[in-house]
Amino acid sequence: MATNTKPKMAVRLTESAIMIALATILSLLKLVDLPYGGSITLASMLPVLLIAYRYGTAWGLLTGFVHGVVQFVLGTSTLSYVTGALSVAMVIIFDYFLAFAVIGLGGIFRKCFRQQSASLFAGAIFVGILRYLCHVVSGCTVWAGLSIPTAGALIYSFIYNATYMIPETLVLAFAAYYIGSVIDFSGGRLTTLKKETAGPSMRIPHLVSGALICAAGIFDVVAVFATLQNAETGEFDITGIADANWIAIAAVTAAAVILSIALCAIWRTTVMKKAKN
């Protein structure tokens, strides 16, 4: 038994190490980098999410925690903005260790859906929400009075962290759904899904639809964040969110959603007609 277990553990450790390295590289490829903390990356949580899906929650949490430690080492400069041992501990725990460890819960939907892509999509949304809540707790406690007004700190923390975590989660969910419809992660070896299972023709509208929604999300973040800088002092002022062009934001978001739904519906109708003929 021992001879069979060691190679498997060696493969698991190697694969996890590679995925943590990949997640670290992706975290540096930022689509949007907010000046007061937070960024939208190129699905940097996806590698850890896939490890959690393949090897279970316990191993996923451990992998996520290690990834959080790496992120902390790369972001130690953040601690220079806070004072006091308790504040430093809160930042380390909620903005790094816990925020990235929760990605390890992304595989809990593995047996809840028939399609792997749906399981990964649900897992991505779930861990995105959990990480968002971790940053909210940090924002309304540690950062209150620093980058977030003390009065109404909880509300401001919800708003500020949403400006990057919502699109970050959308990008992650889109990437997880797509790769989950192409590669089989459930077995010991990674294999390409069968054509009838993967449905390559149906992946095209999903790909375009996901890109539209992600683009709309990024537009919304930029449009909102542009109002959060005081024109006179140049400092962060979250109260400026009231000046955001919410009509344009709502219009872009609604247009992306409507176009995505219409595209999928038209494509599905076309494919069904061809299949009948």
Side-chain angles (χ1 to χ4, degrees), residues 64-260:
F65 176 78
V66 174
H67 178 45
V69 172
V70 174
Q71 290 297 306
F72 166 67
V73 172
L74 294 175
T76 49
S77 60
T78 304
L79 299 181
S80 63
Y81 298 102
V82 296
T83 57
L86 181 59
S87 295
V88 170
M90 288 284 287
V91 169
I92 294 174
I93 293 172
F94 284 96
D95 279 334
Y96 292 101
F97 292 174
L98 192 57
F100 290 96
V102 295
I103 305 173
L105 298 173
I108 64 174
F109 296 101
R110 178 168 174 164
K111 297 181 179 179
C112 297
F113 298 91
R114 197 165 120 191
Q115 291 184 325
Q116 176 184 253
S117 55
S119 299
L120 287 172
F121 181 85
I125 296 295
F126 182 62
V127 300
I129 293 173
L130 291 180
R131 182 183 162 188
Y132 167 56
L133 292 177
C134 288
H135 292 311
V136 167
V137 172
S138 175
C140 68
T141 54
V142 177
W143 298 106
L146 295 176
S147 59
I148 293 178
T150 303
L154 180 59
I155 296 176
Y156 286 132
S157 184
F158 267 111
I159 295 173
Y160 178 82
N161 288 291
T163 59
Y164 68 92
M165 277 309 304
I166 290 178
E168 174 79 357
T169 302
L170 288 175
V171 172
L172 173 65
F174 162 64
Y177 181 87
Y178 180 74
I179 198 170
S181 65
V182 178
I183 301 174
D184 185 5
F185 294 97
S186 60
R189 292 184 178 181
L190 300 180
T191 58
T192 304
L193 287 171
K194 295 179 181 180
K195 290 184 178 181
E196 58 269 22
T197 304
S201 62
M202 286 308 299
R203 285 202 302 268
I204 296 175
H206 292 153
L207 182 65
V208 177
S209 298
L212 283 172
I213 293 175
C214 288
I218 293 174
F219 170 84
D220 293 346
V221 171
V222 174
V224 171
F225 204 83
T227 66
L228 303 184
Q229 189 175 34
N230 190 292
E232 296 180 358
T233 64
E235 297 182 353
F236 174 70
D237 182 8
I238 200 167
T239 58
I241 197 170
D243 298 326
N245 191 341
W246 291 105
I247 296 178
I249 292 171
V252 170
T253 303
V257 172
I258 293 172
L259 285 173
S260 298

